[in-house]
Amino acid sequence: MKIGIYGYGNLGRGVEAATKYHTDAELVGIFTRRAPETVKTLLGTPVYAAEDILSFKDKIDVLILCGGSATDLPEMTPALTKDFNVIDSFDTHARIPEHFENVDKAAKESGHIALISAGWDPGLFSILRLYSSAVLPNGKDYTFWGRGVSQGHSDAIRRIEGVVDARQYTVPVEAAIGAVRRGECPELTTREKHKRECYVAVAEGADKARIEKEIKTMPNYFADYDTTVNFVTLEELKKNHAGLPHGGSVIRNGNTGINAENTHTVEFSLRLDSNPEFTASVLLAYARAIYKMNLRGEVGCKTVFDASPADLSPLSPEELRAHML
Amino acid sequence: MKIGIYGYGNLGRGVEAATKYHTDAELVGIFTRRAPETVKTLLGTPVYAAEDILSFKDKIDVLILCGGSATDLPEMTPALTKDFNVIDSFDTHARIPEHFENVDKAAKESGHIALISAGWDPGLFSILRLYSSAVLPNGKDYTFWGRGVSQGHSDAIRRIEGVVDARQYTVPVEAAIGAVRRGECPELTTREKHKRECYVAVAEGADKARIEKEIKTMPNYFADYDTTVNFVTLEELKKNHAGLPHGGSVIRNGNTGINAENTHTVEFSLRLDSNPEFTASVLLAYARAIYKMNLRGEVGCKTVFDASPADLSPLSPEELRAHML
């Protein structure tokens, strides 16, 4: 399948690198809003101006959209699905229904297929929530994130006056995970589920007490959590906190038996050295899925709930049944 | 959807109990090869003779086949799919391709849909092997089973002269799981992955040393494992080992990055108080899936790889996108 990458930040670079391993993906080009000649790629992939994308209309099977969810994708995905099969990693959970409607309309009118919100949450975690609740309806599920870097929370700290750079780790509370793993089905507050660890480099002479207070009392981001603030030098930040690790767990406790006497625990966990590279790998697997679905004549907007597991694999149904079932 | 249960052992009872929670499943009847009047059901479900099944041809949407994989299902599934949509939990991995062909032929000729090998392994574990390898092609996966009761191994011990009853637990080796969880991608022998714990009640005067030796040297079942044999009274066995717990983990380590420098670990784990009740719950979720697929006109033999996640859920696509994605 011929793949285009639209947007070349961390995620776009992750997709490019992942084509080394997803060997059925042939990379046609990278499309950027920057001046193409200023962009250095990892694998020597050709770089084109985003505005030239339409001249690749018949040369790309699936265009992978690597923009941000806040402002890029709500415009980009419906617009580009008019001319391409597209996939995005739109992750603003509350706005997914609206995004779906916009993309579905554009995709159906033009006869293309689009898949939105691929990645790990939304994405693989969503699938596991669905599978485990479909199997165990009499139960309750929990999602824990981390230990990992939250870019949104890191950015929120960077906007505070006097902060030079910052890295925020979301950390699940071990006692809470333990109770869920033991099948205790606890009721947990926001504070009981996650804590937040901040590493902050400040300008010379900045008021650390004020900065710490501003972080810990910031509504939505930190006020509802136990937050620790560690002031470090910029060198320490670059040396020890340069990566973008993440991960987490979806855990469902459910009961069966005539008196609900038997407890079952289903857990799905990820430990990721690189959040963008893993997300990029998920995008390539779903690019393969919609490519196959489109060859069968399917059009319109899809999500990870609509692709069968077999559609994600490069193996044939016969190979899958013989070796993976 | 109207459900029939064909076969009423541990699994059939599990399906009956699970209809308490899968509230879209209406139980039409239980079909047994025993004399129906001798069968006492958990929920007062009507019991019929297996030979009367054809008179229910238009009254059942999906017939759940609860026979054994060794001799029942290879005959039963192709035969019954001539008149019903059926689902089974056929779990002899090596014979799945052959079973698939037989069922597919019968289902297509009669215009029915069948889904084979649903459960957790084959089943949910298979799906997780597929998802994780499709996302991380540059990696290696591991399946660990237990701690849980293996009925096949328990039966093998019971066939030894002098043994009155036995229960065998398959136990994953913690050091092996630990190395895999740390992303070390180890090479593991059979012995390094699992050990076997046996609880054995023997007849008075039986030669325990001979029995222990026969167990530990039994080819295929025990010879390749570190096996411990504990002799217990029949009362202890009934008191402490009456349940059928099981579980396990599918773990994949995979690398991404231009130099494969980033490691990711994907893990799916089950801890089950009752293996048959959990398997029964999976069967009901897949009965729902093939019921929906059949309403869309799909026929032939399917596996868990062919059903989309959405097909397993009683929720609408809109509800799923709004609340579970």
Side-chain angles (χ1 to χ4, degrees):
Chain A
M1 57 178 175
K2 298 191 192 73
I3 294 291
I5 297 174
Y6 194 90
Y8 195 63
N10 283 331
L11 184 59
R13 280 196 297 276
V15 174
E16 188 190 15
T19 60
K20 274 192 75 166
Y21 310 109
H22 292 256
T23 50
D24 56 340
E26 181 194 329
L27 208 44
V28 173
I30 289 161
F31 299 84
T32 177
R33 288 176 291 196
R34 288 175 274 168
E37 63 278 11
T38 66
V39 174
K40 202 173 142 49
T41 66
L42 297 168
L43 294 173
T45 309
V47 183
Y48 305 101
E51 63 202 41
D52 294 338
I53 187 73
L54 288 185
S55 61
F56 287 83
K57 206 167 147 42
D58 301 316
K59 295 173 189 150
I60 289 172
D61 294 316
V62 181
L63 186 60
I64 301 183
L65 308 183
C66 300
S69 295
T71 54
D72 294 339
L73 296 174
E75 302 293 325
M76 206 180 259
T77 314
L80 287 165
T81 196
K82 288 176 186 163
D83 296 290
F84 295 92
N85 298 322
V86 300
I87 178 165
D88 77 19
S89 61
F90 184 77
D91 66 359
T92 313
H93 290 260
R95 295 186 61 194
I96 286 174
E98 172 194 345
H99 188 53
F100 180 90
E101 292 305 327
N102 294 338
V103 176
D104 193 47
K105 187 165 178 288
K108 281 184 177 152
E109 281 172 7
S110 67
H112 288 97
I113 190 166
L115 190 143
I116 60 164
S117 302
W120 58 275
D121 196 1
L124 300 185
F125 273 20
S126 319
I127 291 174
L128 268 289
R129 286 189 283 264
L130 196 165
Y131 275 119
S132 60
S133 63
V135 169
L136 294 173
N138 181 36
K140 182 171 164 62
D141 59 45
Y142 300 81
T143 302
F144 293 96
W145 296 276
R147 187 176 193 256
V149 172
S150 163
Q151 308 225 48
H153 288 79
S154 302
D155 288 343
I157 299 172
R158 284 187 202 106
R159 288 191 292 265
I160 293 173
E161 197 192 320
V163 171
V164 175
D165 200 2
R167 211 34 84 96
Q168 192 268 188
Y169 294 89
T170 305
V171 184
V173 175
E174 276 304 318
I177 292 204
V180 173
R181 281 196 180 130
R182 288 190 299 275
E184 294 172 10
C185 242
E187 290 294 330
L188 296 167
T189 63
T190 298
R191 190 177 300 272
E192 285 167 338
K193 286 181 73 185
H194 296 94
K195 52 190 178 178
R196 301 200 174 278
E197 268 178 35
C198 312
Y199 294 84
V200 185
V202 297
E204 219 183 297
D207 181 350
K208 290 182 179 173
R210 191 253 313 153
I211 290 171
E212 180 163 347
K213 194 179 165 198
E214 277 195 46
I215 295 173
K216 289 186 170 177
T217 58
M218 194 185 297
N220 302 321
Y221 285 87
F222 294 100
D224 298 335
Y225 300 85
D226 289 334
T227 300
T228 53
V229 176
N230 306 282
F231 290 101
V232 295
T233 64
L234 195 56
E235 292 65 42
E236 284 172 317
L237 202 63
K238 286 188 173 150
K239 185 174 161 226
N240 301 326
H241 305 281
L244 291 170
H246 219 312
S249 303
V250 170
I251 311 178
R252 187 172 180 92
N253 295 153
N255 287 84
T256 64
I258 213 73
N259 300 112
E261 66 274 25
N262 288 314
T263 301
H264 310 284
T265 302
V266 179
E267 175 167 355
F268 178 70
S269 297
L270 295 173
R271 285 174 292 279
L272 312 176
D273 272 359
S274 165
N275 184 357
E277 287 182 7
F278 185 80
T279 300
S281 301
V282 176
L283 287 174
L284 274 172
Y286 278 99
R288 180 182 301 124
I290 62 169
Y291 175 63
K292 287 193 195 179
M293 291 162 82
N294 191 238
L295 289 178
R296 291 199 302 264
E298 294 196 44
V299 298
C301 189
K302 310 289 175 186
T303 74
V304 294
F305 295 153
D306 303 309
S308 74
D311 281 330
L312 273 77
S313 177
L315 301 180
S316 72
E318 291 75 17
E319 289 170 316
L320 289 174
R321 287 192 295 268
H323 303 299
M324 217 168 273
L325 199 61
Chain B
M1 56 177 177
K2 299 191 191 75
I3 294 291
I5 297 173
Y6 195 90
Y8 196 62
N10 284 329
L11 185 58
R13 279 196 298 275
V15 173
E16 186 189 17
T19 61
K20 274 193 77 168
Y21 310 109
H22 291 257
T23 51
D24 57 338
E26 183 193 328
L27 207 44
V28 172
I30 289 160
F31 299 84
T32 177
R33 287 176 289 196
R34 288 174 276 167
E37 63 278 10
T38 65
V39 174
K40 202 171 141 49
T41 66
L42 297 169
L43 294 173
T45 308
V47 182
Y48 304 101
E51 65 202 40
D52 293 338
I53 187 71
L54 287 186
S55 60
F56 288 82
K57 204 167 150 38
D58 301 316
K59 295 173 188 149
I60 289 172
D61 294 316
V62 181
L63 187 61
I64 301 182
L65 309 183
C66 300
S69 295
T71 54
D72 294 339
L73 296 174
E75 300 293 325
M76 207 181 259
T77 312
L80 286 165
T81 197
K82 289 178 185 163
D83 295 289
F84 295 93
N85 298 321
V86 300
I87 179 166
D88 77 19
S89 60
F90 185 77
D91 67 359
T92 311
H93 290 260
R95 294 186 61 195
I96 286 174
E98 170 194 347
H99 188 52
F100 180 91
E101 293 305 327
N102 293 338
V103 175
D104 193 47
K105 186 165 179 286
K108 281 183 178 151
E109 281 173 5
S110 66
H112 288 98
I113 190 167
L115 191 143
I116 60 164
S117 303
W120 59 274
D121 197 359
L124 301 184
F125 273 20
S126 319
I127 291 174
L128 268 289
R129 285 189 284 263
L130 195 165
Y131 275 119
S132 61
S133 63
V135 169
L136 295 173
N138 181 35
K140 181 171 164 67
D141 59 43
Y142 300 83
T143 302
F144 293 97
W145 296 275
R147 189 176 191 262
V149 173
S150 163
Q151 307 223 50
H153 288 78
S154 301
D155 288 344
I157 299 172
R158 284 188 202 106
R159 287 192 291 265
I160 293 173
E161 195 191 321
V163 171
V164 175
D165 200 1
R167 207 39 83 98
Q168 193 269 185
Y169 295 89
T170 305
V171 184
V173 174
E174 276 305 318
I177 291 202
V180 173
R181 282 196 180 130
R182 288 191 298 275
E184 295 172 10
C185 243
E187 290 293 330
L188 297 167
T189 63
T190 298
R191 189 178 300 272
E192 286 167 336
K193 286 182 71 185
H194 296 94
K195 51 190 180 178
R196 302 202 173 275
E197 269 178 36
C198 313
Y199 295 83
V200 185
V202 296
E204 221 184 294
D207 180 351
K208 289 182 181 175
R210 190 251 318 150
I211 289 171
E212 181 164 346
K213 193 179 165 197
E214 277 195 45
I215 295 172
K216 289 185 170 178
T217 58
M218 196 185 296
N220 302 320
Y221 285 88
F222 295 99
D224 297 334
Y225 299 85
D226 288 334
T227 300
T228 53
V229 177
N230 305 284
F231 290 101
V232 295
T233 64
L234 195 56
E235 291 66 41
E236 283 171 317
L237 202 64
K238 286 190 174 148
K239 185 171 161 230
N240 301 326
H241 305 281
L244 292 170
H246 219 311
S249 304
V250 171
I251 310 178
R252 186 171 180 92
N253 295 155
N255 287 82
T256 65
I258 213 72
N259 300 113
E261 66 273 26
N262 288 313
T263 301
H264 310 286
T265 303
V266 180
E267 175 167 356
F268 178 71
S269 296
L270 295 172
R271 285 174 291 279
L272 312 176
D273 272 359
S274 165
N275 184 358
E277 287 183 7
F278 185 81
T279 300
S281 300
V282 176
L283 288 175
L284 273 172
Y286 278 99
R288 180 181 301 123
I290 61 168
Y291 176 62
K292 288 192 195 180
M293 293 163 83
N294 191 238
L295 289 178
R296 293 199 302 266
E298 294 195 44
V299 298
C301 188
K302 310 290 174 184
T303 74
V304 294
F305 295 152
D306 303 308
S308 74
D311 281 330
L312 272 75
S313 176
L315 300 180
S316 71
E318 292 76 15
E319 290 171 314
L320 288 175
R321 287 192 295 268
H323 304 299
M324 216 167 274
L325 197 62

